[in-house]
Amino acid sequence: NQSRTRDSIFQQKIVGANAQLTSVVLTESSSHMITYGMDYYTTENESIRDGATIDARGNPVFESGYPTRDFPRTEVENLAFFLQDEIEMLDGKLLLSPGLRYDKNEAKADADLIYEQGNPGGPPPIDFNESDLTFKFGAVLQLSEDLSIFGRFSEGFRAPPFDDANLGFKNFRSQYKFVSAPDLTSETSDGLEIGVRIVRSFFDASLAVFANDYEDFIADAAGAHCSSYYRQFGCIDPSDGFLTFQSENIAGVSIEGAELRFSVDLDAIGMSNFGLQGAIAYADGEDEEANEPLDSIQPLTAIIGMSFDSSSGVWGGNLIWTGVKSKDESDLSTGSALMETSGYGIFDLTGYYRVGDAFSLNVGIYNLADKSYIKWADTAGIGRDASARFTQPGTNFSLGLKYEL
């Protein structure tokens, strides 16, 4: 038998400023609320990972790779300017929202001895300086007092995350690693969303469908992405036999989906103080270059909850059901390092009791049926490890005291 300790520390210092101004312009047929301003902030990011293993006799077991850093110390500077005009027309029945945004993202990496010794043989860390001007346009049309339709077109820009471009970590025990992606470039996208919303005194619902097209889509190593280079070897680095994850740009990606949300006040059917809320989300993604599924897409998920709040507002609770569809072989790209997961449904019960104006007691019982399941997002960490280690807790409890000023 052995005992292991692991210490992971992440530190981030953020300093910034923002300014936002609004001007109102009125004409005979419309009103304009013009918003403009800027955001500026810098972040200093640092991580360190350390650990030790002791055998049954209390003797230390040598482990290479510690201490290490998952990425070099990095300073990131972000600057953005934005301009938006909210145009109200047709006596308030039509709202148009064109806007522009300029983003500039600059990162400077500083590889010290800890990073270099913990990531031997890797390429030197890179700096990057990326910028783009993006446009968006939204519209809302009020068809009646309780029915409206909406649509939005938006361009997107995402600079390479500093901890993807210069990522580095090896697990010698389980023989998997994350390696840097020095050729990573910025991701851009065009997105279209349309939907309908109904708002009544006891009922509120919305349905939206969307389609997004990406160029140079950033597939994250943190999501267990195996780059095309290592995929030809079954995601194994032939130089050391390690299962290998690496971020990369995918030339063309499309993601489509739909989301339904609703909220019902059950007073309308005689159930005083009860409410029903829910959301269902579906998405499908494809690597258009390889004609393969996109592994990072979450499975179909539904959340439905029944709530009760006492007339006095002193106490209440929620019974919540979460249902998640399975992920099978057809949902995974060829050669993916991820694993299939079964669908599951769980019930959670939460409650609160207010003690005076400032304090509230919160309790929860989670996974009431004691289900054993693995979240799709957690499969990224399994690698060659035992999948049972990544199952969620069985029935578990929480108790908290909240204080509000």
Side-chain angles (χ1 to χ4, degrees):
N1 295 327
Q2 295 180 336
S3 63
R4 293 189 295 166
T5 61
R6 293 292 183 267
D7 295 315
S8 297
I9 299 173
F10 174 74
Q11 295 179 326
Q12 186 176 67
K13 180 181 178 182
I14 303 175
V15 178
N18 63 75
Q20 179 173 306
L21 301 172
T22 300
S23 300
V24 176
V25 179
L26 301 177
T27 69
E28 292 184 359
S29 59
S30 64
S31 66
H32 299 254
M33 182 177 291
I34 303 171
T35 303
Y36 47 96
M38 58 86 68
D39 289 318
Y40 174 81
Y41 63 94
T42 62
T43 62
E44 296 177 4
N45 309 277
E46 181 176 339
S47 75
I48 191 165
R49 189 192 296 262
D50 206 350
T53 299
I54 299 175
D55 65 19
R57 297 182 178 181
N59 299 313
V61 177
F62 173 74
E63 285 189 273
S64 58
Y66 293 105
T68 186
R69 299 189 191 278
D70 294 346
F71 54 85
R73 292 180 295 191
T74 307
E75 181 177 342
V76 182
E77 182 179 62
N78 299 274
L79 175 65
F81 297 96
F82 56 88
L83 170 66
Q84 176 178 293
D85 185 8
E86 287 193 6
I87 308 169
E88 192 174 290
M89 305 174 69
L90 304 179
D91 297 324
K93 294 181 180 179
L94 177 62
L95 180 65
L96 305 177
S97 302
L100 289 171
R101 181 181 177 93
Y102 171 78
D103 286 279
K104 181 175 184 294
N105 184 286
E106 183 177 359
K108 296 180 179 179
D110 176 21
D112 62 358
L113 189 61
I114 294 177
Y115 175 81
E116 291 176 345
Q117 290 182 341
N119 298 276
I126 63 165
D127 300 335
F128 57 84
N129 190 339
E130 303 277 342
S131 63
D132 199 11
L133 178 68
T134 55
F135 169 76
K136 69 175 183 178
F137 184 84
V140 179
L141 177 61
Q142 198 75 34
L143 298 177
S144 66
E145 186 176 344
D146 52 15
L147 179 64
S148 62
I149 57 175
F150 58 88
R152 181 178 63 176
F153 169 80
S154 59
E155 295 178 328
F157 165 75
R158 181 188 178 205
F162 67 88
D163 50 353
D164 270 331
N166 295 319
L167 179 63
F169 171 71
K170 278 189 176 182
N171 186 313
F172 288 86
R173 188 181 186 88
S174 299
Q175 291 195 314
Y176 70 87
K177 65 181 180 179
F178 294 84
V179 297
S180 63
D183 297 327
L184 213 57
T185 61
S186 291
E187 167 189 295
T188 59
S189 63
D190 293 330
L192 181 64
E193 180 184 24
I194 58 174
V196 59
R197 184 177 184 188
I198 301 173
V199 180
R200 293 186 175 178
S201 59
F202 66 93
F203 179 72
D204 183 345
S206 65
L207 173 64
V209 295
F210 63 87
N212 298 322
D213 291 319
Y214 297 84
E215 291 185 5
D216 294 323
F217 179 86
I218 298 175
D220 299 312
H225 180 76
C226 173
S227 67
S228 55
Y229 173 76
Y230 291 107
R231 192 165 295 214
Q232 65 182 318
F233 306 112
C235 297
I236 302 298
D237 186 343
S239 68
D240 56 19
F242 276 47
L243 180 65
T244 305
F245 303 105
Q246 183 183 39
S247 300
E248 72 174 339
N249 291 107
I250 300 177
V253 162
S254 62
I255 299 177
E256 296 93 27
E259 184 172 2
L260 171 68
R261 292 180 175 273
F262 64 88
S263 177
V264 185
D265 184 349
L266 297 180
D267 278 352
I269 59 173
M271 297 178 63
S272 298
N273 303 324
F274 281 91
L276 184 68
Q277 306 85 29
I280 303 173
Y282 165 80
D284 180 66
E286 181 180 7
D287 176 346
E288 296 180 330
E289 185 178 29
N291 195 27
E292 292 273 8
L294 195 64
D295 290 339
S296 58
I297 297 297
Q298 295 298 313
L300 174 68
T301 301
I303 301 174
I304 300 175
M306 175 81 76
S307 63
F308 175 83
D309 297 285
S310 64
S311 299
S312 63
V314 172
W315 66 279
N318 291 274
L319 177 63
I320 303 167
W321 174 79
T322 301
V324 179
K325 188 178 181 294
S326 63
K327 278 276 195 175
D328 57 31
E329 186 178 358
S330 65
D331 300 312
L332 303 178
S333 61
T334 303
S336 173
L338 299 178
M339 62 173 287
E340 300 175 30
T341 54
S342 301
Y344 60 88
I346 58 171
F347 285 95
D348 300 323
L349 182 64
T350 65
Y352 69 88
Y353 184 84
R354 300 189 188 281
V355 184
D357 295 329
F359 288 94
S360 62
L361 184 67
N362 300 283
V363 296
I365 307 175
Y366 303 95
N367 195 359
L368 290 171
D370 200 27
K371 286 283 188 74
S372 177
Y373 65 97
I374 298 176
K375 290 183 176 180
W376 169 250
D378 291 344
T379 63
I382 293 177
R384 291 174 170 171
D385 216 331
S387 59
R389 290 187 57 207
F390 293 82
T391 57
Q392 291 296 300
T395 303
N396 60 99
F397 310 87
S398 71
L399 177 65
L401 183 64
K402 184 179 181 180
Y403 174 72
E404 295 178 301
L405 296 175

